[in-house]
């Protein structure tokens, strides 16, 4: 039996761990051409892929490596995912095609960034974004992330080679 052992309520969202009850919605959210193009997730993302992903996310949480959270507004219906890799200090997010345009990614990114700084004590968190991913760049800017001067990383995945730029958010020292 799955239990919601981690939940984060912030910015009119309830971010919660995935459970086996979410397998169908995971498939719906992640088996999308845009998600396949922009992420290393399996494609096609079928029921078997959803089950593997769920088990991987649960194992990563138990090892304190990553936290994979369903983005919801009510604690139930998943609309996307936000994840925090505690080892690298990186955050990733996906919003299902039917749910875009509601500022879900921005609110989830802000909530997890605050959590990473406050609860995980990460002074710096990063995003890795393709230069042509204008929607994600807009989310990053709106959430207070800035491009770094680090060289881009070249990635080859699913037969495609692309560059990833690093964006960062640092803890601010003053209140304001």
């Amino acid at each position: 039996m799955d239990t919601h052992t981690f939940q984060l309520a912030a910015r009119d969202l309830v971010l919660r761990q995935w459970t086996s009850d979410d397998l169908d919605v995971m498939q719906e959210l992640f088996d999308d051409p845009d998600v396949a193009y922009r992420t290393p997730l399996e494609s096609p993302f079928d029921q078997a892929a959803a089950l593997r992903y769920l088990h991987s996310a649960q194992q990563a949480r138990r090892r304190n490596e990553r936290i994979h959270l369903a983005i919801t507004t009510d604690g139930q219906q998943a609309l996307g995912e936000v994840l925090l890799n505690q080892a690298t200090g990186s955050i990733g997010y996906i919003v299902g095609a039917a749910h875009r345009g509601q500022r879900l990614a921005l609110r989830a990114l802000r909530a997890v960034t605050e959590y990473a700084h406050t609860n995980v004590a990460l002074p710096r968190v990063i995003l890795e974004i393709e230069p042509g991913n204008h929607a994600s760049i807009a989310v990053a800017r709106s959430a207070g992330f800035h491009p770094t001067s680090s060289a881009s990383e070249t990635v080859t995945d699913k037969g495609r080679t692309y560059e990833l730029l690093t964006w960062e958010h640092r803890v601010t020292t003053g209140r304001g």
Side-chain angles (χ1 to χ4, degrees):
M1 175 179 225
D2 293 319
T3 58
H4 298 288
T5 57
F6 183 85
Q7 183 171 291
L8 178 61
R11 301 188 176 269
D12 295 322
L13 296 176
V14 178
L15 307 175
R16 63 162 177 82
Q17 287 183 266
W18 294 106
T19 73
S20 59
D21 293 336
D22 294 312
L23 293 174
D24 288 338
V25 76
M26 288 171 79
Q27 183 179 353
E28 177 186 321
L29 295 170
F30 298 158
D31 192 35
D32 172 274
D34 290 334
V35 172
Y37 185 75
R38 298 277 185 204
T39 73
L41 291 176
E42 288 185 50
S43 181
F45 197 92
D46 57 16
Q47 280 289 304
L51 188 59
R52 284 189 295 275
Y53 189 79
L54 175 63
H55 287 157
S56 173
Q58 290 171 335
Q59 289 172 351
R61 174 71 178 143
R62 282 192 291 274
R63 292 189 303 258
N64 290 321
E65 294 171 351
R66 291 185 316 275
I67 304 170
H68 294 253
L69 301 170
I71 300 171
T72 79
T73 56
D74 61 3
Q76 300 298 316
Q77 179 65 38
L79 309 171
E81 176 185 65
V82 60
L83 70 89
L84 171 63
N85 184 321
Q86 292 155 274
T88 64
S90 62
I91 298 174
Y93 46 87
I94 297 167
V95 172
H99 312 292
R100 294 179 188 146
Q102 301 175 47
R103 301 175 63 84
L104 295 168
L106 174 60
R107 291 186 284 154
L109 177 58
R110 284 180 172 164
V112 171
T113 299
E114 291 164 4
Y115 173 82
H117 289 322
T118 305
N119 297 77
V120 186
L122 295 174
R124 174 185 185 251
V125 290
I126 64 166
L127 305 171
E128 294 178 311
I129 305 173
E130 271 188 86
N133 188 343
H134 301 293
S136 196
I137 289 169
V139 168
R141 284 190 195 285
S142 294
F145 281 75
H146 303 282
T148 68
S149 59
S150 301
S152 63
E153 178 184 356
T154 302
V155 175
T156 300
D157 183 49
K158 297 182 226 171
R160 175 171 101 86
T161 299
Y162 53 95
E163 302 295 314
L164 290 174
L165 299 176
T166 301
W167 291 67
E168 71 178 359
H169 188 283
R170 292 190 176 271
V171 173
T172 55
T173 55
R175 296 189 180 248

